């Protein structure tokens, strides 16, 4: 692809932790050489139609720019238009850059609003002469067809457990540590084919105890434990006061940068596993409803809290019915 003269817009898609960003960086290195690894962090400021200033963190080199426009929330359309316009209007200044265009890497494009995606489609066509866009998405179903049709799709599948074990062994070898194969397999199984999570678990195990042992405990991530405790509190008590405390815990998770869809899926999984079989179908029905609303909305906390309130209502009614049945 790099040797051909015509380089298209690309869309890398696959589950989180599969290696999309790693493959994008390998592609950029093949395009431009080692210069893409000399990265710098910059803060770009954008002005909305209402004259509000928005600051977005970017990472880039002389040849490319990485940004997550969904960080701007409902103003992502402004970021998309202004960012691409700024980059596209500056010509490549390095004569050894090999290419006449710069590359913009956009992360989590499936999280963008529909307005922003339509603006991206128009901007992609307008500045195709001076810049190429590489999109990183988890789910293509949430990207409008007009964008999908203008990009070459590259699927990045989640690594198999055996592949994760091999990668963990290679990392350990380069770092000069000895990793027992049994521990590597346990980390691989617990990561659920998420390579990023597997590497974080390996680092945690190294900090916790070294030399490694075969039966060493694999410490869970703090936010996962916190989320499970939140679900247990919902099961324990269903009152307005408890709902208010749960809202604070959800705010804390969002403030720590845990994606709202990850919070939602984890919460649903823990709640469903701890409730009675007779109400599981109803809980999942409402879960799908509120997840759909959350994807279409912009205030995630509203939909997370609404689902918790709905679950409390269902569970409290189930407990009341059970007590009546016991009395009979």
């Amino acid at each position: 692809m790099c040797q051909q003269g015509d380089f298209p817009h690309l869309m890398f898609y696959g589950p989180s932790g599969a290696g999309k960003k790693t493959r994008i960086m390998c592609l950029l290195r093949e395009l431009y050489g080692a210069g893409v690894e000399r990265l710098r962090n910059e803060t770009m400021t954008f002005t909305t139609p209402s004259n509000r200033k928005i600051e977005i963190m970017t990472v880039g080199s002389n040849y490319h720019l990485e940004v997550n426009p969904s960080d701007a929330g409902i103003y992502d359309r402004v970021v998309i238009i202004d960012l691409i316009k700024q980059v596209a209007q500056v010509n490549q200044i390095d004569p050894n850059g090999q290419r006449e265009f710069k590359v913009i890497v956009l992360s989590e494009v499936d999280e963008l609003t529909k307005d922003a995606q339509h603006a991206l489609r128009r901007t992609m066509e307008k500045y195709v002469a001076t810049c190429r866009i590489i999109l990183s998405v988890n789910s293509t179903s949430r990207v409008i067809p007009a964008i999908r049709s203008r990009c070459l799709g590259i699927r990045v599948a989640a690594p198999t457990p055996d592949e994760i074990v091999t990668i963990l062994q290679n990392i350990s070898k380069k770092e000069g540590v000895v990793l027992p194969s049994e521990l590597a397999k346990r980390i691989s199984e617990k990561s659920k084919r998420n390579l990023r999570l597997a590497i974080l678990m390996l680092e945690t195990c190294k900090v916790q105890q070294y030399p490694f042992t075969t039966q060493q405990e694999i410490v869970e991530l703090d936010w996962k434990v916190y989320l499970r405790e939140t679900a247990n509190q919902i099961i324990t008590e269903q009152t307005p006061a408890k709902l208010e405390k749960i809202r604070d815990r959800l705010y804390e998770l969002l403030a720590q940068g845990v994606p709202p869809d990850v919070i939602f899926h984890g919460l649903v999984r823990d709640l469903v596993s701890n409730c009675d079989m007779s109400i599981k179908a109803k809980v999942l029905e409402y879960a799908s409803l509120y997840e759909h609303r959350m994807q279409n909305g912009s205030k995630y906390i509203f939909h997370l809290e609404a689902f918790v309130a709905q679950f409390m209502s269902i569970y409290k009614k189930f407990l009341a019915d059970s007590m009546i049945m016991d009395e009979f």
Side-chain angles (χ1 to χ4, degrees):
M1 185 185 294
C2 295
Q3 293 171 355
Q4 292 178 350
D6 183 25
F7 189 84
H9 299 302
L10 301 176
M11 181 169 64
F12 286 77
Y13 62 96
S16 180
K20 297 187 291 294
K21 191 61 68 69
T22 302
R23 285 168 172 79
I24 290 171
M25 289 307 299
C26 291
L27 178 64
L28 291 174
R29 182 183 172 87
E30 193 68 25
L31 272 174
Y32 298 110
V36 294
E37 295 178 351
R38 291 193 284 272
L39 301 174
R40 58 182 180 271
N41 294 327
E42 295 179 350
T43 302
M44 298 185 73
T45 304
F46 303 93
T47 306
T48 67
S50 58
N51 288 327
R52 179 177 176 179
K53 301 288 185 182
I54 301 173
E55 292 188 347
I56 298 290
M57 284 295 297
T58 65
V59 179
S61 67
N62 290 335
Y63 311 103
H64 83 292
L65 189 71
E66 298 176 39
V67 67
N68 186 345
S70 63
D71 289 344
I74 60 174
Y75 299 109
D76 50 4
R77 179 178 174 274
V78 176
V79 174
I80 288 285
I81 295 174
D82 289 355
L83 174 74
I84 297 178
K85 188 185 297 182
Q86 287 179 30
V87 174
Q89 288 175 348
V90 178
N91 292 327
Q92 186 65 266
I93 56 176
D94 189 345
N96 300 319
Q98 303 174 4
R99 304 286 168 173
E100 296 178 352
F101 55 82
K102 278 190 173 183
V103 171
I104 301 175
V105 180
L106 301 178
S107 303
E108 298 183 11
V109 174
D110 47 338
E111 297 290 341
L112 295 177
T113 61
K114 289 294 183 284
D115 282 348
Q117 292 191 31
H118 285 295
L120 174 59
R121 188 263 304 168
R122 291 191 294 270
T123 315
M124 286 168 71
E125 295 173 341
K126 188 174 181 180
Y127 297 107
V128 69
T130 51
C131 78
R132 296 293 186 277
I133 297 174
I134 298 179
L135 312 178
S136 174
V137 305
N138 291 336
S139 172
T140 55
S141 63
R142 288 158 56 194
V143 179
I144 61 174
I147 289 180
R148 295 204 302 265
S149 64
R150 285 164 175 77
C151 298
L152 174 62
I154 300 175
R155 179 174 177 268
V156 182
T160 64
D162 290 341
E163 288 172 339
I164 290 179
V165 168
T166 304
I167 293 168
L168 293 179
Q169 294 285 12
N170 290 340
I171 292 173
S172 301
K173 190 175 180 181
K174 289 181 180 178
E175 295 294 329
V177 298
V178 179
L179 176 64
S181 57
E182 285 299 319
L183 180 59
K185 287 180 182 177
R186 286 173 54 220
I187 292 175
S188 172
E189 291 169 2
K190 200 160 187 177
S191 69
K192 293 182 171 57
R193 298 181 68 186
N194 186 325
L195 182 56
R196 185 189 300 118
L197 185 58
I199 295 172
L200 285 173
M201 286 179 174
L202 177 61
E203 292 175 350
T204 306
C205 290
K206 172 68 168 62
V207 172
Q208 181 195 27
Q209 176 185 332
Y210 189 77
F212 293 126
T213 59
T214 304
Q215 297 303 319
Q216 179 175 338
E217 181 187 1
I218 302 172
V219 180
E220 272 194 288
L221 298 176
D222 290 345
W223 66 266
K224 283 195 168 184
V225 177
Y226 191 79
L227 185 59
R228 189 164 57 247
E229 290 172 354
T230 303
N232 291 336
Q233 289 186 23
I234 296 170
I235 292 286
T236 306
E237 182 183 343
Q238 301 83 39
T239 62
K242 177 58 71 175
L243 180 60
E244 193 172 340
K245 291 179 180 178
I246 296 298
R247 181 200 301 148
D248 293 339
R249 294 179 70 90
L250 294 175
Y251 264 126
E252 180 65 24
L253 287 166
L254 290 169
Q256 294 301 321
V258 182
D261 57 330
V262 173
I263 296 173
F264 193 91
H265 292 161
L267 202 58
V268 171
R269 184 172 56 250
D270 291 336
L271 290 174
V272 168
S273 63
N274 288 320
C275 69
D276 190 83
M277 181 63 73
S278 61
I279 62 172
K280 284 186 179 181
K282 196 169 187 178
V283 170
L284 291 173
E285 179 186 346
Y286 278 106
S288 61
L289 171 67
Y290 285 109
E291 184 190 23
H292 178 69
R293 289 180 178 177
M294 187 175 74
Q295 301 296 356
N296 291 332
S298 57
K299 296 288 186 181
Y300 302 119
I301 187 65
F302 292 170
H303 307 287
L304 287 168
E305 187 181 0
F307 169 70
V308 172
Q310 186 69 59
F311 176 84
M312 283 184 171
S313 173
I314 295 171
Y315 195 70
K316 194 167 186 176
K317 185 177 185 301
F318 163 74
L319 292 177
D321 292 345
S322 299
M323 288 178 65
I324 293 172
M325 291 298 293
D326 290 342
E327 289 175 1
F328 281 109

